[in-house]
Amino acid sequence: MIQSLANWILSFDILSGMGISIAWSLSLFIVAALIFVFVAANAIVLVYIERKVSAFMQVRLGPMRVGKFGTLQTVADALKLLQKEDIIPDKADKILFTIGPWIILVASVVTFAAIPFSDTLLAANMNIGLFYVVSISSIVVLGIVMAGWASNNKWSLYGAMRSAAQIISYEIPVGITLISVVAVVGSLNLQTIIESQAGVGNLFHWIPIPLPNWYIFHSPFLFVAAFVYLIGATAEINRTPFDIPESESELVAGFMTEFSGLRWALFFLSEYANATLVAFLVSIVFLGGWQSPFANYEGVQIGFLVISLFAIMWTIFVKVKTKRLSFYPLGLSIIITLSAWLFPGFAIWLASPGLFWMLMKVASIIFLLMWFRWTFPRLRVDQLMYVSWKVILPLSLINLMGVAVWMWLSGEIQF
Amino acid sequence: MARLYAEEMVLNMGPQHPSTHGVLRLKLTTDGEIVSHIEPVIGYLHRSFEKHAENLEYQMVTPFTGRCDYLAAMGSEHGYAMAVEKMMGIELPERVEYLRVIFAELQRIASHLVAVGTFGLDVGAITPFIYCFRERELILDLFEMASGARLLYNYIWIGGLAHDVPPGFVEKTYEFLDNFEKRVAEYNQILSGNKIFIERAADIGVMTPEVAINYGVTGPSLRASGVNIDIRRTQPYSIYDRFEFDVPLGEGAQGTVGDSWDRYYVRVLEMQESAKIVRQALDQLPVEGDVQAAVPRRIRPPKGEIYFRSENPRGELGYYIVSDGKNVPVRVKMRSPAFSNLSVINEIGHGWMISDVIAILGSLDIVLGEIDR
């Protein structure tokens, strides 16, 4: 994307005199700014959505006053945070206290450089993309420990120590789970990983149910691996049920206790950036990234027909169970199905890979994370370690071996 | 397994802390995450209830009782009114007795809803809390209908009630009960049976019956340890001998008898029993009757003293009143259940982790207004 942007800049007559190196630097800067804008805007939108989702789960309305349906609430909150007094506690370590939040933010923003949004839309097509993302995102823990230690507050210290233990523990199963996918692809390049998931095939290679060639359907082992990854990643980004570093009811706000104003906003920003990153990784590695779930436009029509049938069954089920008739899922799916049948252009657009499918997948995963957060209680710190070392880690190792055996059996690799 | 002992750190939890249920301060001596000693420091909400009572006429003390246990103001008022009535030998009209029982039990449901919801909040589940408050709101609406207030009522007077319930109250209460009995299943689904919740609450902070009795723990926390003491059943006051209800006991369904999960679940079951009592009381409620018929014109209990106890949502609420025959009491001592219940926190809480201490504290269900008085 940087290269094409530089070429595009140079294609103008007035600008062509600046030379390739300046054009390159300029486009580098533009891309970096775009990524930051994406992360910041994304956080503002996600905070709003999280509030609304939690409100709907809790029979409330959520923000309703600022803007239509409260859409400007988070903008107002962000402005409020920017105006707040910048407080550094007297006994705090000023240098670490100041740079801690920035390290977290930078680590979580920089990872987006390697994330492909679509087949053309990515900042840097790295051949070690996955490795880069995993390694850079683990720098976050450094910032958290810094922030917690520098606050000179016992609660912050507890939060930071818990966070360090948690993130380091979960990094291992998460990494091994990703390796089991890399073993299938044979590449760390995120674009290659996505490209190898094109098309439609059988479930688990042999069961004759036509499903997209995503790695979640590749083998039973990778199917489990996807959930192992999701659980591990939820822990890595400190979200409920694994939010013990900032567990509100125990540690007040954990490592964020002493922070306010802009610095606190940076924590928030990076938290949502990390959640989005995890959602991107799940959809890239297991759900086919920007690949469409449909092979061609007949696939779209048949697929939506199946979804409509499910919607009809669901409506009947709800009617029997609760004596209430809910037309929303049925109506929505029928409208989409009809439009896919009536307008072949729409169906072809749906069958083609692109940004739309990527964002759809990411949005679904983020919704899942929010659903977790507003449903589950929180684990205790030793239970969390138990889950990591005694459940998820052995499971991910078994998956890795299982995937290897599966590939040998299914003839994908020969020795 | 041998544990590595490191230097101990004193951690000050509160008085400003999200889960100490008010302005309670806990001095935790911690060894890493393990808490080796807990020292509750109280008194941040002291408002001199007992000293005030020595300078006020009997009927003027009633609003102060509600301010002690602000989550169960009806229960506190009920206990105080009954104590003074017993001193004066007042016979109450039937309608008053039934309405008092209805309010006391509705208040028990409301108080337990807060207890159950905040316990969920303490272990990190936010949504059940909102669900519990949704139901509590309906109860508060009923109270508002009757007394005009939502938290502190001054509704139960010595010898009667402030005024009769408005028309439509009985129907609305029936409506609430129909609704509520279904909703309890919802709490069980989202919280009681949740695997993480069970992991967090079961086997945590086990209180054996001996410990509970030695520390004077009463109410649901005592019954969760398997001790069958409910003053409504063992020494029926008011008209509780007329109703059929069970006294739920802790059975250790998910772990040991007397663990935090039991203390939580006993409250869930008690809400259902209270709903049963309210339903029976509504069925039997006499239509006729002046609620102020027995209100004495002059409240001057004869010389003497009395200790009267009743079953508050948090346990045994006792009033010790000394009278010298004047219209002002010489002494009003309140035996508040939460005070005794809190005293057990070190015994059952030391040796657990910080997160568990929060859970144990939540499962004891304390109200600081009542502890500090």
Side-chain angles (χ1 to χ4, degrees):
Chain A
M1 188 175 163
I2 298 168
Q3 183 65 58
S4 48
L5 196 64
N7 289 337
W8 181 73
I9 290 171
L10 286 176
S11 68
F12 290 99
D13 285 345
I14 322 159
L15 298 173
S16 56
M18 65 167 58
I20 185 73
S21 57
I22 296 175
W24 181 268
S25 322
L26 192 65
S27 44
L28 206 64
F29 182 77
I30 292 172
V31 169
L34 279 179
I35 288 174
F36 186 78
V37 166
F38 168 75
V39 170
N42 173 55
I44 284 186
V45 173
L46 282 190
V47 171
Y48 173 72
I49 291 174
E50 174 124 50
R51 283 176 177 180
K52 278 295 187 192
V53 167
S54 71
F56 289 134
M57 287 183 185
Q58 298 173 345
V59 268
R60 299 184 286 122
L61 286 176
M64 288 297 282
R65 295 297 174 94
V66 187
K68 192 79 182 159
F69 302 115
T71 36
L72 295 176
Q73 182 68 50
T74 43
V75 179
D77 287 347
L79 289 177
K80 182 207 76 172
L81 284 173
L82 289 178
Q83 289 172 25
K84 282 186 87 167
E85 186 192 351
D86 180 27
I87 298 171
I88 300 177
D90 270 355
K91 295 278 174 63
D93 185 327
K94 292 197 177 47
I95 301 168
L96 292 186
F97 193 85
T98 320
I99 61 176
W102 288 104
I103 288 185
I104 298 177
L105 181 74
V106 168
S108 43
V109 172
V110 164
T111 43
F112 281 89
I115 296 291
F117 287 76
S118 78
D119 45 356
T120 50
L121 200 63
L122 88 166
N125 192 359
M126 291 184 225
N127 56 356
I128 52 156
L130 192 59
F131 177 70
Y132 168 84
V133 169
V134 171
S135 53
I136 296 289
S137 65
S138 55
I139 294 178
V140 169
V141 68
L142 191 68
I144 290 178
V145 172
M146 265 187 188
W149 177 261
S151 302
N152 200 3
N153 177 323
K154 287 170 183 172
W155 298 108
S156 305
L157 186 64
Y158 266 110
M161 291 304 143
R162 282 180 176 192
S163 176
Q166 175 180 345
I167 294 180
I168 291 169
S169 308
Y170 276 89
E171 210 110 84
I172 302 164
V174 162
I176 292 175
T177 311
L178 291 177
I179 287 174
S180 55
V181 174
V182 172
V184 178
V185 195
S187 167
L188 283 166
N189 188 326
L190 290 173
Q191 283 293 46
T192 319
I193 293 176
I194 295 174
E195 276 156 13
S196 63
Q197 300 182 57
V200 169
N202 286 345
L203 173 66
F204 300 157
H205 202 279
W206 283 308
I207 304 168
I209 300 169
L211 280 172
N213 259 336
W214 300 345
Y215 284 130
I216 189 171
F217 304 125
H218 176 268
S219 63
F221 298 104
L222 281 189
F223 186 75
V224 176
F227 291 97
V228 169
Y229 178 76
L230 190 65
I231 293 169
T234 315
E236 235 190 316
I237 56 171
N238 299 339
R239 279 183 76 89
T240 318
F242 308 106
D243 66 336
I244 56 154
E246 43 178 287
S247 46
E248 194 183 308
S249 56
E250 295 151 25
L251 299 186
V252 191
F255 58 90
M256 300 196 283
T257 308
E258 294 287 348
F259 288 85
S260 67
L262 183 61
R263 274 182 248 284
W264 188 81
L266 294 184
F267 282 124
F268 233 66
L269 205 63
S270 66
E271 190 179 305
Y272 281 97
N274 285 334
T276 318
L277 182 76
V278 162
F280 266 109
L281 274 187
V282 172
S283 41
I284 288 169
V285 174
F286 293 104
L287 301 178
W290 36 258
Q291 301 283 6
S292 166
F294 309 107
N296 46 37
Y297 88 99
E298 281 107 0
V300 176
Q301 293 169 340
I302 293 163
F304 277 119
L305 213 57
V306 172
I307 291 170
S308 296
L309 285 176
F310 270 112
I312 290 168
M313 278 160 65
W314 171 249
T315 313
I316 293 168
F317 173 75
V318 168
K319 170 77 183 149
V320 170
K321 193 93 196 280
T322 66
K323 312 264 181 296
R324 257 200 331 234
L325 210 51
S326 162
F327 280 116
Y328 291 110
L330 186 64
L332 202 66
S333 58
I334 285 178
I335 287 170
I336 297 176
T337 313
L338 279 181
S339 50
W341 279 86
L342 293 179
F343 308 108
F346 179 58
I348 289 167
W349 179 72
L350 282 177
S352 58
L355 188 62
F356 171 75
W357 284 113
M358 188 68 172
L359 294 183
M360 281 296 282
K361 286 165 192 173
V362 169
S364 323
I365 301 290
I366 288 176
F367 176 75
L368 198 64
L369 291 176
M370 287 177 181
W371 197 353
F372 285 171
R373 177 165 178 182
W374 298 105
T375 312
F376 291 138
R378 174 189 308 123
L379 283 170
R380 206 172 54 207
V381 64
D382 61 321
Q383 291 164 347
L384 186 88
M385 293 298 151
Y386 180 91
V387 171
S388 170
W389 292 102
K390 295 202 171 166
V391 181
I392 289 188
L393 183 61
L395 209 58
S396 58
L397 286 169
I398 292 169
N399 273 332
L400 182 57
M401 284 190 289
V403 166
V405 173
W406 180 273
M407 284 169 66
W408 176 56
L409 287 177
S410 65
E412 277 184 59
I413 48 166
Q414 276 95 30
F415 292 111
Chain B
M1 200 176 74
R3 251 207 5 244
L4 180 70
Y5 278 93
E7 200 180 327
E8 289 191 330
M9 180 167 91
V10 176
L11 189 63
N12 209 2
M13 186 182 278
Q16 276 86 37
H17 187 278
S19 339
T20 49
H21 295 234
V23 281
L24 171 68
R25 177 172 153 221
L26 293 175
K27 268 165 80 177
L28 308 177
T29 313
T30 55
D31 173 16
E33 287 273 344
I34 310 281
V35 176
S36 54
H37 187 258
I38 307 165
E39 187 190 331
V41 182
I42 60 170
Y44 291 93
L45 201 59
H46 182 60
R47 291 152 304 171
S48 319
F49 160 68
E50 286 167 13
K51 193 67 194 165
H52 272 304
E54 286 168 23
N55 296 292
L56 293 169
E57 290 172 24
Y58 279 94
Q59 71 273 24
M60 293 162 119
V61 176
T62 317
F64 281 83
T65 60
R67 275 148 184 83
C68 284
D69 187 348
Y70 44 76
L71 289 181
M74 285 286 184
S76 308
E77 287 168 11
H78 193 197
Y80 175 74
M82 280 189 297
V84 180
E85 281 154 13
K86 199 171 178 193
M87 274 182 118
M88 298 176 69
I90 298 173
E91 280 294 313
L92 292 172
E94 286 279 284
R95 186 170 167 87
V96 172
E97 291 280 24
Y98 275 104
L99 282 175
R100 281 183 176 189
V101 166
I102 290 168
F103 282 117
E105 293 306 316
L106 283 176
Q107 181 75 79
R108 194 182 309 278
I109 297 174
S111 172
H112 281 353
L113 278 172
V114 178
V116 165
T118 49
F119 183 52
L121 207 58
D122 287 341
V123 296
I126 300 163
T127 305
F129 173 74
I130 311 271
Y131 285 7
C132 289
F133 265 58
R134 175 185 61 186
E135 259 65 71
R136 179 170 179 265
E137 205 63 22
L138 299 175
I139 297 178
L140 296 189
D141 285 347
L142 291 175
F143 286 163
E144 194 183 1
M145 213 173 156
S147 70
R150 292 166 63 81
L151 193 70
L152 307 163
Y153 314 103
N154 191 18
Y155 183 63
I156 298 178
W157 284 6
I158 295 163
L161 299 171
H163 32 74
D164 209 337
V165 291
F169 176 82
V170 175
E171 291 74 32
K172 239 191 137 184
T173 313
Y174 271 126
E175 209 175 284
F176 163 75
L177 289 175
D178 295 340
N179 196 7
F180 177 75
E181 280 153 6
K182 277 183 233 150
R183 294 282 169 83
V184 174
E186 223 168 75
Y187 310 143
N188 287 337
Q189 204 172 1
I190 195 169
L191 204 56
S192 314
N194 186 307
K195 177 85 174 101
I196 301 176
F197 179 73
I198 292 171
E199 287 284 316
R200 279 301 305 277
D203 282 331
I204 305 295
V206 177
M207 180 153 63
T208 58
E210 293 77 39
V211 169
I213 291 168
N214 284 350
Y215 278 84
V217 174
T218 47
S221 305
L222 175 67
R223 291 193 283 277
S225 300
V227 184
N228 192 350
I229 294 180
D230 186 330
I231 299 169
R232 291 175 296 170
R233 176 57 56 75
T234 52
Q235 279 187 342
Y237 56 89
S238 191
I239 48 164
Y240 276 107
D241 46 355
R242 299 186 198 172
F243 303 117
E244 276 187 25
F245 63 98
D246 297 327
V247 179
L249 298 177
E251 288 165 349
Q254 306 290 346
T256 328
V257 176
D259 56 9
S260 298
W261 194 87
D262 270 352
R263 285 196 282 280
Y264 155 83
Y265 199 61
V266 159
R267 290 194 170 88
V268 175
L269 294 177
E270 261 185 28
M271 290 197 286
Q272 287 168 314
E273 296 304 321
S274 292
K276 243 192 253 175
I277 296 176
V278 176
R279 196 175 276 282
Q280 291 173 44
L282 284 172
D283 291 343
Q284 300 170 18
L285 180 69
V287 187
E288 291 297 313
D290 180 9
V291 293
Q292 293 223 328
V295 175
R297 295 188 61 190
R298 194 178 283 130
I299 302 176
R300 285 189 181 174
K303 208 168 176 179
E305 54 184 55
I306 191 172
Y307 181 74
F308 189 88
R309 41 189 214 149
S310 58
E311 186 73 22
N312 215 33
R314 258 153 281 279
E316 181 187 321
L317 176 74
Y319 284 101
Y320 174 65
I321 303 172
V322 182
S323 164
D324 58 353
K326 296 206 185 85
N327 57 351
V328 176
V330 175
R331 176 93 170 90
V332 177
K333 163 85 178 85
M334 186 184 191
R335 187 256 180 228
S336 68
F339 180 79
S340 309
N341 291 1
L342 177 67
S343 69
V344 81
I345 181 90
N346 184 39
E347 179 68 30
I348 62 172
H350 80 268
W352 294 100
M353 295 194 164
I354 296 176
S355 322
D356 295 330
V357 171
I358 300 280
I360 292 167
L361 187 69
S363 72
L364 286 175
D365 181 28
I366 53 164
V367 163
L368 264 296
E370 194 188 33
I371 290 172
D372 294 339
R373 296 196 282 282

